[in-house]
Amino acid sequence: MLLEVDDLCVNYGRIEAIRNISFTIDEGEIVTLIGANGAGKTTTMKTVSGLRPVRQGTIKFQGQDITAMPPHERPVLGIAQSPEGRGCFIGMTVQENLDMGAYARPDRKSPKIGQDRDRVFGLFPRLAERRTQVAGTMSGGEQQMLAMGRALMANPKLLLLDEPSMGLAPKLIQQIFDIITEINNQGTTVLLVEQNAAQALKRADRAYILETGEIVREGSGKELANDPAVKAAYLGGD
Ligand code: ATP
């Protein structure tokens, strides 16, 4: 098992954002968390990447207990997050942003970095065209691609994607999901948080449904996509 989350509780002060959630991610999978606004998806993501402290429960990565590990050490193990709201370094160029993504790698001075940058440019040709452009002047969709590209430069075993389709035009949404599938086909395990439940379930091997901080359903992406209750609640009833 790549990631094992057991009986996790996370609070913001007295607010219980996540209550007793348990889930697993196997190597090679795309797993998605689906839920309404405020269900606890981003909190779960932030807790796996170490940005929120755990009140109760454990997180294991490749069998190692990382529950209390500081966030900057997790990329070294192979966990990288592409955050909601992009979070690019707006004053830096595309290439500089990508290189920042490799900071935690022990091999960051090796030619492998150049190969991985080429891989990112292969996945996102738009970034290749714009490699000297300052990130802050790029469109929202381009910055979203850059945030994903930067996370990939950590060469992660587990890529955490928080709302990668947020704010994108429909054509670009399709493209981003195709790229996620391609990243997964190239060997990276993905934890995907999405409001776009239809696309996420279509692409995911397995899915968990979060409601007000608790996991209420789990199943294969296909099974949940065809479930009448899930359809009514998350897929607009069609
Ligand atoms: P969305 O789809 O709207 O992004 P989400 O499922 O990602 O929602 P979270 O952002 O994880 O949900 O929020 C879970 C709960 O925790 C919500 O009730 C939210 O109001 C609360 N919460 C999140 N961040 C904070 C914070 N910094 N301080 C206090 N409460 C917070």
Side-chain angles (χ1 to χ4, degrees):
M1 204 59 74
L2 193 63
L3 186 81
E4 287 174 83
V5 172
D6 188 39
D7 199 28
L8 192 70
C9 299
V10 178
N11 278 32
Y12 294 96
R14 292 172 65 181
I15 299 168
E16 293 183 313
I18 292 176
R19 280 193 304 278
N20 309 102
I21 69 166
S22 300
F23 65 95
T24 58
I25 306 179
D26 220 341
E27 207 160 302
E29 284 190 309
I30 298 180
V31 171
T32 188
L33 302 177
I34 303 290
N37 292 121
K41 306 180 296 296
T42 297
T43 303
T44 305
M45 212 58 139
K46 282 186 176 167
T47 309
V48 172
S49 61
L51 298 173
R52 284 302 309 170
V54 169
R55 185 171 68 78
Q56 183 188 306
T58 56
I59 304 174
K60 285 185 183 169
F61 187 71
Q62 293 188 303
Q64 180 181 349
D65 190 333
I66 61 162
T67 313
M69 181 182 276
H72 64 273
E73 289 178 15
R74 301 188 192 204
V76 184
L77 286 187
I79 301 173
Q81 181 171 2
S82 177
E84 186 183 11
R86 300 167 190 130
C88 299
F89 300 106
I90 55 172
M92 291 184 178
T93 66
V94 166
Q95 178 145 338
E96 286 164 349
N97 265 277
L98 292 180
D99 290 348
M100 286 301 284
Y103 83 96
R105 289 172 61 166
D107 62 347
R108 64 184 170 275
K109 302 246 183 294
S110 87
K112 179 82 177 46
I113 299 295
Q115 289 166 21
D116 285 346
R117 203 190 293 124
D118 289 344
R119 174 191 172 209
V120 170
F121 286 147
L123 287 164
F124 302 100
R126 181 71 64 90
L127 297 183
E129 291 163 17
R130 309 277 168 129
R131 70 175 77 198
T132 58
Q133 186 171 335
V134 172
T137 64
M138 306 226 296
S139 77
E142 288 165 351
Q143 288 190 39
Q144 181 64 60
M145 293 181 201
L146 182 55
M148 281 174 70
R150 193 184 59 192
L152 280 175
M153 285 301 291
N155 194 24
K157 296 185 179 96
L158 176 63
L159 177 64
L160 308 173
L161 294 174
D162 195 356
E163 303 276 5
S165 79
M166 190 168 60
L168 302 185
K171 205 174 151 198
L172 198 52
I173 290 178
Q174 194 62 36
Q175 216 179 318
I176 286 285
F177 280 103
D178 286 346
I179 291 168
I180 293 167
T181 303
E182 176 59 23
I183 289 167
N184 180 248
N185 288 340
Q186 290 179 5
T188 308
T189 305
V190 176
L191 176 59
L192 174 65
V193 159
E194 261 294 329
Q195 294 270 352
N196 191 330
Q199 276 289 340
L201 290 175
K202 195 168 136 194
R203 308 291 174 145
D205 296 296
R206 290 185 308 109
Y208 293 87
I209 297 187
L210 271 172
E211 272 177 21
T212 54
E214 292 177 273
I215 290 177
V216 294
R217 286 286 305 272
E218 62 175 285
S220 71
K222 205 171 175 185
E223 182 188 331
L224 293 185
N226 291 316
D227 182 283
V230 174
K231 277 187 182 175
Y234 299 103
L235 306 177
D238 48 44

